[in-house]
Amino acid sequence: MKTIKELISESLTEVAATRDINRQNSISRVYKACPELKEIDDQILEVRNSRFIAVIDKDERLIKRFDIAEEELLTKRGRIIARNNIEPDFDEEKFICSECSDTGFVKTADGKVSVCPCRENELEMCYEQSGMADYPSYKMKNYRDDYLGDASGRKKIKGMMNDLLKELIGKSREESKSYIYVYSAPPQTGKTFLSICVCKTAIKLGKSAYYAKCEELSALGTDTLEALKHIDFLVVDDFADTVTLSNNVGSVLNTLLETRAASRLNTVLVTPFPVNELVKKCDMRISGKLQSAKKISSEGR
Ligand SMILES: [Zn+2]
């Protein structure tokens, strides 16, 4: 898996090449329409080359002559450009995206750094590589508080998830004591939808994030598992006590939680079961961690 920063950084060479091609195209277009300008530019180039040799020869008289010649040519050039309505910067390199100056990132109204809309392809690629290939349509703007009833509960949970995002973006993580969160809500209340939206938002804000189903953890490749230890934000969905007791999932999850907590990285376990029930039945190592985890829930359970 690659982070959004890596994906954007990898594309920068291609963007620079495109900028150069655009510049070359613009120059040949203008020269074709105005051969007179090309002639002057060739002459300027020639004068500059000759002046360069005069400098090496330390021939002050000749240097002066070339300086005057260049000045005359430049005046002539200015006149040609004005007369033919040519953009004066036609031979300069221009940004392809003026919004982000081709960096791929922009500042939002509230001062956060966010991926520029011109990098939608890289974003989609990153979502796919971050465990969300099956959920292309899950977008935060489509999340409705009143969709499945319990509007106030959904709104409350969304607020808590947003706080988590703010914590992720801000610098308050050092002050936080707990890095494991349990998002517990009954089945069919939109947990997966919200979890994926939060993961995508984190990526959009330039962070590394991953969405995984709990039962799939033991099937992930070692490279991915290693990456999950270090990414900024991890969501483990469909977390259940029975899952932790099968296929080595308990051991894999326990290692992840321990490594991530030591690096002060946030992990959210998403579950349809009440936390106190999970604590009783889970893999022992994970039970202990659940007790001190922060709760994300619409009720006081
Ligand atoms: Zn842009």
Side-chain angles (χ1 to χ4, degrees):
M1 66 172 291
K2 279 176 181 159
T3 66
I4 188 63
K5 282 185 177 160
E6 284 167 342
L7 286 170
I8 287 179
S9 148
E10 280 175 9
S11 71
L12 290 181
T13 326
E14 200 186 315
V15 174
T18 310
R19 269 200 310 261
D20 189 48
I21 290 168
N22 289 352
R23 174 177 167 264
Q24 302 293 350
N25 287 344
S26 160
I27 292 174
S28 44
R29 214 171 30 240
V30 169
Y31 281 171
K32 207 175 166 195
C34 180
E36 200 188 354
L37 183 61
K38 177 170 176 12
E39 228 168 88
I40 289 280
D41 279 353
D42 285 346
Q43 285 176 31
I44 291 173
L45 218 64
E46 226 179 278
V47 168
R48 281 182 186 161
N49 286 339
S50 307
R51 185 189 186 275
F52 179 69
I53 292 164
V55 168
I56 293 169
D57 290 345
K58 294 194 173 120
D59 188 336
E60 292 299 331
R61 198 181 51 86
L62 214 51
I63 294 174
K64 185 116 202 234
R65 232 176 77 190
F66 288 131
D67 281 344
I68 293 166
E70 182 176 337
E71 214 168 296
E72 282 171 359
L73 285 169
L74 283 174
T75 314
K76 224 166 153 185
R77 183 182 195 266
R79 264 189 248 125
I80 295 172
I81 284 179
R83 199 184 330 124
N84 293 283
N85 286 325
I86 295 166
E87 294 280 339
D89 61 352
F90 79 96
D91 57 349
E92 280 166 27
E93 214 174 73
K94 291 177 194 75
F95 291 128
I96 292 159
C97 175
S98 54
E99 258 180 81
C100 68
S101 304
D102 295 352
T103 59
F105 291 94
V106 286
K107 271 222 162 128
T108 59
D110 52 356
K112 288 193 193 91
V113 172
S114 176
V115 174
C116 182
C118 73
R119 297 318 181 91
E120 199 57 45
N121 286 344
E122 279 83 0
L123 264 183
E124 292 301 329
M125 205 189 297
C126 193
Y127 297 158
E128 270 176 41
Q129 292 187 8
S130 304
M132 293 174 278
D134 296 337
Y135 313 93
S137 64
Y138 286 33
K139 303 260 158 73
M140 197 60 119
K141 64 175 184 214
N142 299 333
Y143 184 88
R144 299 216 316 271
D145 294 332
D146 59 354
Y147 180 52
L148 298 152
D150 189 25
S152 67
R154 276 168 68 81
K155 206 170 168 180
K156 185 179 167 194
I157 288 182
K158 187 175 78 177
M160 292 170 96
M161 288 297 248
N162 276 336
D163 286 345
L164 198 55
L165 272 177
K166 276 183 218 152
E167 197 182 301
L168 187 68
I169 306 308
K171 300 249 181 285
S172 57
R173 250 190 297 166
E174 275 68 22
E175 295 147 32
S176 177
K177 281 193 187 77
S178 174
Y179 306 100
I180 301 170
Y181 293 76
V182 182
Y183 169 10
S184 166
Q188 303 298 319
T189 49
K191 293 187 297 298
T192 297
F193 191 97
L194 182 59
S195 302
I196 287 173
C197 290
V198 171
C199 249
K200 285 186 174 177
T201 307
I203 290 174
K204 219 171 181 168
L205 294 171
K207 299 289 166 182
S208 50
Y210 197 94
Y211 170 87
K213 299 263 188 208
C214 193
E215 60 175 16
E216 290 164 2
L217 280 180
S218 57
L220 292 174
T222 40
D223 283 357
T224 308
L225 279 179
E226 194 53 36
L228 295 194
K229 288 181 187 168
H230 310 290
I231 56 164
D232 299 316
F233 188 62
L234 173 64
V235 174
V236 178
D237 200 1
D238 293 342
F239 174 72
D241 49 79
T242 47
V243 183
T244 66
L245 298 170
S246 65
N247 285 328
N248 207 28
V249 167
S251 160
V252 171
L253 183 58
N254 183 55
T255 307
L256 277 178
L257 291 175
E258 266 176 15
T259 325
R260 294 180 55 76
S263 308
R264 301 168 186 262
L265 298 168
N266 289 333
T267 309
V268 181
L269 304 172
V270 185
T271 180
F273 302 104
V275 178
N276 50 19
E277 203 177 293
L278 291 166
V279 168
K280 272 184 244 156
K281 299 184 192 162
C282 256
D283 177 291
M284 284 293 288
R285 296 161 293 185
I286 293 170
S287 280
K289 294 183 174 68
L290 291 182
Q291 279 170 306
S292 56
K294 277 192 198 167
K295 317 282 183 286
I296 295 175
S297 154
S298 63
E299 308 140 39
R301 60 180 204 161

